[in-house]
Amino acid sequence: MTGRPWWAANEGLAFVLELAALVCLSWWGFHTGGDSTTLKLLPAFAIPALAITLWGLFAAPRARIRLPLAGVLAVKAVVLGGGAFGLYRVGHPAAAVALAVVIIANTALAETFRHKPAPEAAPSASGG
């Protein structure tokens, strides 16, 4: 599992998992709100907004504040793990565990790929 195609596929999966975490956080926020629609929508927007802010400040590739790897992984654990927790809290424990397992595997592979350079392209048969 080395090379650019695996790296690109894993990065694409990471993006999908980030979006899924935001959806799960929003869903959980909606369910934690009060009885009125307004009280449901407030946490449904506020919780993912907080997650997006944390991600942008500390975990994004172009984060404003560069943390050591442990700090970046901690922020990812809070945001992505929060998505799995939110899914659990809305009543889908098996899906939450599956999401958490995929998040952990994806993050581990992403860090492995980041610390291992991509193989050089093989020279073409025409010598160029």
Side-chain angles (χ1 to χ4, degrees):
M1 284 184 35
T2 61
R4 278 289 186 215
W6 287 108
W7 177 84
N10 198 61
E11 290 297 308
L13 176 60
F15 181 67
V16 170
L17 291 171
E18 292 159 16
L19 293 177
L22 293 174
V23 168
C24 292
L25 286 168
S26 183
W27 190 11
W28 173 48
F30 187 81
H31 281 275
T32 62
D35 294 332
S36 74
T37 302
T38 303
L39 290 177
K40 288 181 177 291
L41 289 176
L42 184 63
F45 285 103
I47 293 171
L50 177 61
I52 290 167
T53 301
L54 283 172
W55 195 274
L57 285 174
F58 304 111
R62 294 183 181 155
R64 290 206 176 267
I65 301 169
R66 302 302 304 171
L67 295 177
L69 178 60
V72 173
L73 291 176
V75 171
K76 287 183 177 189
V78 168
V79 173
L80 298 174
F85 176 77
L87 190 56
Y88 174 81
R89 294 294 295 164
V90 297
H92 297 282
V97 170
L99 180 61
V101 167
V102 173
I103 287 169
I104 291 167
N106 174 264
T107 303
L109 284 172
E111 290 309 316
T112 301
F113 287 140
R114 278 192 193 98
H115 297 294
K116 185 177 181 182
E120 294 294 324
S124 65
S126 64

